[in-house]
Every structure is written in structure tokens, then in C-alpha cells.
Amino acid sequence: MRERVVTGDPLPGEEPEMNSLRPRSLAEYIGQPEVVRPLHIALKAARQREEPLDHVLLHGPPGLGKTTLAHIVRHEMGKDIQVTSGPALKRPGDLMGLLTNLKEGDVFFIDEIHRLDAAVEEYLYPAMEDFTVDFVLDRGANARMLNFRLKHFTLIGATTMTGLLSAPLRGRFGLTYHMDYYGPEELRAIVLRSANILGAKLTEDGAQEIARRARGTPRIANRLLRRVRDYAEVEGDGTLHAQAADAALKLEGIDALGLDRLDRELLRVITDTYQGGPVGVEALAATLNEEQTTLVEVVEPYLLKIGFLARTPAGRRATHLAYRHLGSSPTPTAPVPPPHLQGQLAL
Ligand code: ADE
């Protein structure tokens, strides 16, 4: 799989600096008012009652701040956090170890919770509901069931694919929030805040250039900011203005809308190889030599969001907007996206 600058997933080695950019309180958090406002109330109520917060499920595309919110909850509650992920919990024993270490009110964060093994998930149900776990010791005639009482913790589950979550698991979360892509104004404010922390001289127009290429995703915005900072320090006068941002990001193959080579290749395959579609994702993955899940979970969501791609029962189709962006003329049957998306090109 190729490494992309515009992926919402973390890239190897970038975590330490990115962590320093994470807001630590809800007051510092920019955007997502539909999550922040109700979460603020739930946190305040829990603190007033001196009770742990209800279990929270966060869903939405990668890079929008699900992990950040889990850390904020822990800070706002004044508790500790244990962080793990669905794929890391291979056996019930892995889960037991973490659960039994939790103290009253601690946050237990499970990223990619949709990828939990079914046997591990079963163990989570009584832990979430009654704060107990049963553990079978030994086998055969000597088998004994040990029942552990756990402290009242708050589980925060994060998923990019809420549809893949089993109904019993979904139903055990008291608070469920959807995180959506950020608007250009919010991203502009986020990169200005980050530049301030990093001590980089980012101008208003530089921030705007970065924001409109960040695919609605703070993690991408912060990554682009660092690339622009490198460029400005090496090739420019150290100031991160619009020209430096434009030149730096062009060098990375990122166009004015934040699409990279893989996005454009995917659209080109649909428009040129498959005459605009419809084409199945299996065929696209094979033609592009990419994993199907990468296309579905990472590449397509933003193209769907900006109305460049239409997903129909027969397969994917390129829309009028995609043709226009690629500089070619649409086929007569290319879908026309709804009017609210038509302005995207003028972001
Ligand atoms: N850095 C990354 N995401 C952020 C957000 N939503 N608000 C402030 N800073 C951020």
C-alpha cells in the first residue's frame, strides 16, 4: 500500500508532535458543536453527581478527533486512561488484564471497536453493563468460574464503520455521537492554533490554503502545516504564506481541493477505463492495485462527501463535478450532484 499525505490515519512516527497539538479541554476544542455541546453537558452532570460518565460511542471518518475527545474526557473528569484497539485485543485474557487495572471513573478507550473479535466482545457486555467479568480458570473437571467485580469505568469506543458494529454492542453505549468533516473556517482556526503552538509564522492566507486542501480533517491539516513549514524554512523566507503553501503542497501532488494522486487515479479509472461507471469496487481495487478496504474506508468517503463520486447499487460512478475537476467533458449519463455541492469547487 502506498503512503499518502492526505490520509486521515496517523503516519508512522508522527504521533509525538501531533500529540502536542491536541486540545486538552473541550473549551480549546474547535468545531463539532453537535458533539461538543451535549458532551459538555454530560460531563458537567457526571461531575456534579460525582459519577463516572456513561459509555460513549464516537463514529466518523479517521482523523476527526475521536482519540482527542477520549483524552479530553479523561482530563475533564480528572481520571486516567487506558488506550487499546479492537485488533489488539485478540483473546478475552487481553481484555481482562486491562479491565481489572481500571480505577473508578477511568476512561477505557477502544479504537476501531468494530474490529473486536466476537469472543472478546462477549466479555465486554457484562463489563459494560454490570461492571463484572467472568473468567474460566482451568479446563475440564477442574474448570472454575471466577467472577471479578470491576470499578465503574467509562468505555469510549471509536469506529469509522458504525454499520459494522453489532446491535448488542451499539445498544450498550449511553451516549452516541457522530463526527463529521470540518468546515474550512474551523480548519483554518485549527491550523492557526497549531502554528502558534509550533512557533511557525503562518499567515491568514497561508492558513486558508492549507485549510481548503485538508479534506475536512484536522489530522491532515496539521500534517500539511508541517510540510509547508519545512518548505518555507528550506525554500522560502520561513513565513508560511499562501504562495509557500501552494508550492509545498503542489510538490506533494496535492491539488487545490486536497485530492492526491490516488484520488485522481481512482476518478480517472472510472471516467476513462470504465466510461464513467458504474463500476464495482473490486474492479477498481484490482485496476489501481490497492486494497478494497483502503478505497472504501479512506479514499471514497471524501470523494462522496464533495459529490465527485456516486455510489449506486450497480457500482461507483463519476459525477459531473469529477469530470470538471479532471478537465474532461462528462458523459451524457454522468450524475449531477445536488446544488449544495456544486459550490465545492469554489471553496
Ligand atoms: N487539533 C486537532 N483537532 C483539533 C480541534 N478539533 N480543535 C483544536 N485543535 C485541534
Side-chain angles (χ1 to χ4, degrees):
M1 203 175 87
R2 59 192 109 180
E3 190 169 283
R4 301 175 75 207
V5 174
V6 293
T7 173
D9 291 319
L11 296 177
E14 76 175 3
E15 283 296 283
E17 195 173 42
M18 288 294 195
N19 281 343
S20 72
L21 302 180
R22 284 201 170 126
R24 291 183 130 234
S25 68
L26 271 191
E28 280 177 276
Y29 198 93
I30 296 161
Q32 305 292 339
E34 275 120 46
V35 181
V36 169
R37 275 204 223 108
L39 187 58
H40 169 73
I41 293 169
L43 279 166
K44 199 162 174 185
R47 276 197 307 259
Q48 278 173 6
R49 289 197 301 266
E50 297 183 17
E51 279 175 8
L53 185 72
D54 253 347
H55 302 310
V56 185
L57 179 65
L58 300 171
H59 56 95
L64 299 193
K66 297 189 284 294
T67 307
T68 301
L69 276 178
H71 283 272
I72 288 178
V73 167
R74 154 252 158 112
H75 285 298
E76 300 248 339
M77 295 300 288
K79 301 290 178 183
D80 287 329
I81 186 169
Q82 291 273 358
V83 176
T84 186
S85 74
L89 298 170
K90 295 200 172 54
R91 289 174 307 272
D94 300 332
L95 182 65
M96 283 284 296
L98 292 168
L99 286 174
T100 51
N101 268 328
L102 294 169
K103 302 180 296 302
E104 191 76 17
D106 277 359
V107 170
F108 184 39
F109 179 62
I110 308 184
D111 201 7
E112 295 186 80
I113 195 165
H114 61 280
R115 292 176 62 191
L116 267 186
D117 178 85
V120 177
E121 188 176 315
E122 289 278 324
Y123 263 80
L124 205 51
Y125 296 159
M128 289 175 78
E129 217 154 2
D130 310 320
F131 301 99
T132 63
V133 272
D134 291 328
F135 199 66
V136 182
L137 266 189
D138 229 331
R139 290 168 197 222
N142 292 326
R144 279 165 299 150
M145 178 96 88
L146 286 186
N147 183 263
F148 282 99
R149 285 214 67 77
L150 303 169
K151 297 284 195 279
H152 284 221
F153 63 95
T154 296
L155 177 69
I156 302 187
T159 177
T160 48
M161 301 254 117
T162 177
L164 295 184
L165 223 57
S166 74
L169 182 56
R170 224 177 314 150
R172 284 175 166 83
F173 287 94
L175 304 164
T176 297
Y177 301 120
H178 177 67
M179 306 195 60
D180 213 341
Y181 290 107
Y182 291 66
E185 263 315 299
E186 293 164 338
L187 289 168
R188 206 180 57 90
I190 288 171
V191 284
L192 284 168
R193 174 185 174 273
S194 300
N196 198 24
I197 295 171
L198 296 174
K201 255 173 57 194
L202 175 64
T203 64
E204 287 285 335
D205 61 355
Q208 203 166 328
E209 277 303 305
I210 294 174
R212 72 183 178 128
R213 287 169 153 98
R215 311 166 74 99
T217 308
R219 186 181 285 148
I220 297 177
N222 284 334
R223 186 179 300 140
L224 299 184
L225 171 68
R226 292 154 79 220
R227 300 286 158 115
V228 175
R229 178 182 60 170
D230 289 350
Y231 185 91
E233 283 172 5
V234 175
E235 296 279 321
D237 58 4
T239 305
L240 287 66
H241 41 57
Q243 257 172 312
D246 190 52
L249 300 177
K250 265 206 191 104
L251 207 60
E252 300 279 350
I254 301 167
D255 69 27
L257 287 183
L259 306 193
D260 72 354
R261 293 184 188 94
L262 180 54
D263 295 306
R264 290 190 296 271
E265 266 176 50
L266 177 114
L267 295 172
R268 276 255 177 256
V269 167
I270 302 177
T271 58
D272 296 4
T273 316
Y274 294 96
Q275 288 83 46
V279 49
V281 69
E282 305 82 10
L284 286 176
T287 314
L288 290 163
N289 197 21
E290 270 296 337
E291 303 246 357
Q292 213 169 297
T293 53
T294 306
L295 296 187
V296 174
E297 292 181 29
V298 185
V299 184
E300 288 188 346
Y302 192 68
L303 296 174
L304 287 164
K305 152 97 183 158
I306 62 172
F308 276 29
L309 201 62
R311 215 147 49 182
T312 70
R316 277 71 173 157
R317 302 179 67 188
T319 68
H320 266 251
L321 290 179
Y323 278 95
R324 215 181 333 144
H325 187 67
L326 296 173
S328 42
S329 7
T331 56
T333 54
V336 179
H340 75 276
L341 291 172
Q342 305 274 333
Q344 286 284 350
L345 288 176
L347 259 183

